[in-house]
Amino acid sequence: MRRTTSPFSLVLLGLGTFLLVLAPLLARYVEPRAAVNPIDIDTTAVYTGRGSVFDTDRIETVPDRKITVTQRVRGNVEDSERSGNAVWDVTTTVDTDKSLPAADPHDALDFTPHRWVMDRETTRPVHCCGEKPYIEGEAYLKFPFDVQKRSYQWWDNTLGDTVVLRYRGTAKVQGYSGYRFTGSVPPTRTGTRMVPGSIVDQPNRPQVLAEEWYSNHGFELVVDQATGRVIYAQTGPKRTLRAPGGKKDAAVLLDSEKVAFTTATQKEAVRQAKRDSGQLRLVGTTLPIGAGIAGLVLAAVGGVLVARGRKEPEQPAPSDTSGTPQPTLTM
């Protein structure tokens, strides 16, 4: 008796081996390359809250006004492809009901355009491609992929410096869980501005180079762990003017203890976080584990079938029982 190997067992063994090789490749090679920041981003986040603002018509600070902050992020695909980094153009406007809707964002209470360039994998700032301002730190607009339970250096564009955001556990946003971080900014001088002297309690001077000061009552960010996407953001900005060398605020330009993501912005951020983290989980965990288990089973079954084979009787060599010599072919 001899054994033969069926094609089916060889197919099972080959497919199982292929899946066993594919599983670690998905986890170690494909998944890290899927975790990259996009270059074609186009997203808008809206914050709302109430607070005091400086009314330029009345030349005084008015309290309890609705404040709307709109932050739009657009990727510059051409510059991104040329540099190999993610180049994002960002515009931030601060409005009251008086300036909304505005035909021109420059009509807003405050309008700030800037450009953020970052490494697509690490989210670290890259200084090229017309970046403005010179952004530093570990995170801005979003955290790196695979967020850790530790403090991060977050760039505050109004401050012009980084702020330490400390990990504070987990929190749910629209039913979706993320990592919570908080921080604050003490009163800090950020620049100067030429204003009428009467605004900073110097009525006898027509123009004064007043000092601009900024503080923040508190940041609160909830971040998707896998992607680093911010699914909830809350900030408490305070911007004031002081007379040159002054020790106290003379005028309040903006002061709100809480300006936070609208419900619509939260829902959209959660939707995108679920989608993107699900894709990363599929490539980095679900598919590798599934491929590994399936490969192990198929390889084991195929190996057993190959080892057992199929028994076939050996065919005896033909023999002549007549005793008559067989003719041979000769030339």
Side-chain angles (χ1 to χ4, degrees):
M1 302 291 286
R2 64 186 180 91
R3 297 179 183 273
T4 61
T5 302
S6 70
F8 178 70
S9 62
L10 292 176
V11 169
L12 287 181
L13 181 60
L15 182 58
T17 303
F18 170 75
L19 291 176
L20 287 174
V21 173
L22 179 64
L25 286 179
L26 287 171
R28 299 178 184 177
Y29 183 83
V30 178
E31 191 271 343
R33 284 155 180 78
V36 293
N37 293 301
I39 62 175
D40 58 349
I41 187 174
D42 188 350
T43 184
T44 300
V46 181
Y47 304 66
T48 57
R50 303 195 71 85
S52 301
V53 297
F54 190 82
D55 189 316
T56 54
D57 293 332
R58 297 166 57 175
I59 317 297
E60 64 179 359
T61 301
V62 292
D64 196 29
R65 291 294 187 269
K66 182 180 179 181
I67 299 170
T68 301
V69 179
T70 306
Q71 189 174 66
R72 183 163 191 181
V73 182
R74 281 182 168 179
N76 189 306
V77 176
E78 183 178 352
D79 287 355
S80 297
E81 291 178 340
R82 184 184 302 116
S83 67
N85 302 299
V87 181
W88 292 2
D89 292 319
V90 187
T91 58
T92 304
T93 58
V94 181
D95 290 279
T96 61
D97 287 342
K98 181 179 178 181
S99 59
L100 282 177
D104 187 337
H106 294 81
D107 296 334
L109 183 69
D110 186 72
F111 171 73
T112 308
H114 53 288
R115 168 170 282 196
W116 182 32
V117 185
M118 65 178 143
D119 184 282
R120 296 190 66 192
E121 295 181 2
T122 67
T123 315
R124 288 277 187 172
V126 177
H127 307 299
C128 75
C129 317
E131 170 213 25
K132 185 180 180 180
Y134 190 92
I135 295 175
E136 299 179 289
E138 299 174 279
Y140 174 52
L141 301 181
K142 74 177 294 292
F143 278 60
F145 293 93
D146 189 24
V147 181
Q148 304 298 303
K149 297 178 180 180
R150 64 172 178 84
S151 297
Y152 281 84
Q153 294 287 336
W154 175 267
W155 175 260
D156 183 339
N157 204 52
T158 304
L159 179 64
D161 203 348
T162 58
V163 178
V164 178
L165 296 185
R166 293 178 170 81
Y167 174 73
R168 301 297 188 185
T170 61
K172 284 192 174 184
V173 177
Q174 302 297 322
Y176 186 76
S177 183
Y179 285 2
R180 178 173 174 265
F181 295 85
T182 64
S184 61
V185 179
T188 305
R189 179 178 170 177
T190 57
T192 57
R193 178 186 299 193
M194 189 67 72
V195 299
S198 58
I199 292 180
V200 289
D201 300 329
Q202 295 190 359
N204 296 326
R205 301 178 63 183
Q207 295 289 321
V208 173
L209 191 62
E211 298 177 357
E212 292 185 316
W213 284 71
Y214 165 74
S215 61
N216 200 295
H217 298 288
F219 293 97
E220 180 179 347
L221 303 178
V222 181
V223 183
D224 177 47
Q225 189 277 328
T227 64
R229 179 181 292 276
V230 177
I231 57 177
Y232 176 81
Q234 173 183 315
T235 181
K238 182 177 182 181
R239 297 171 57 190
T240 62
L241 294 177
R242 295 184 184 183
K247 301 300 182 183
K248 63 178 182 178
D249 297 331
V252 174
L253 301 178
L254 174 68
D255 186 11
S256 175
E257 292 190 0
K258 178 182 177 181
V259 182
F261 270 6
T262 63
T263 300
T265 296
Q266 293 175 39
K267 289 181 177 179
E268 177 61 16
V270 167
R271 183 191 70 80
Q272 295 186 29
K274 286 181 177 179
R275 179 198 64 193
D276 296 344
S277 62
Q279 291 174 350
L280 290 178
R281 186 166 55 251
L282 178 67
V283 175
T285 303
T286 306
L287 286 180
I289 291 176
I293 294 174
L296 186 62
V297 172
L298 292 176
V301 173
V304 170
L305 292 178
V306 169
R308 293 175 59 184
R310 183 177 59 190
K311 295 182 179 180
E312 292 184 355
E314 295 187 11
Q315 298 296 326
S319 59
D320 180 20
T321 58
S322 64
T324 304
Q326 298 298 314
T328 57
L329 182 62
T330 59
M331 296 294 293

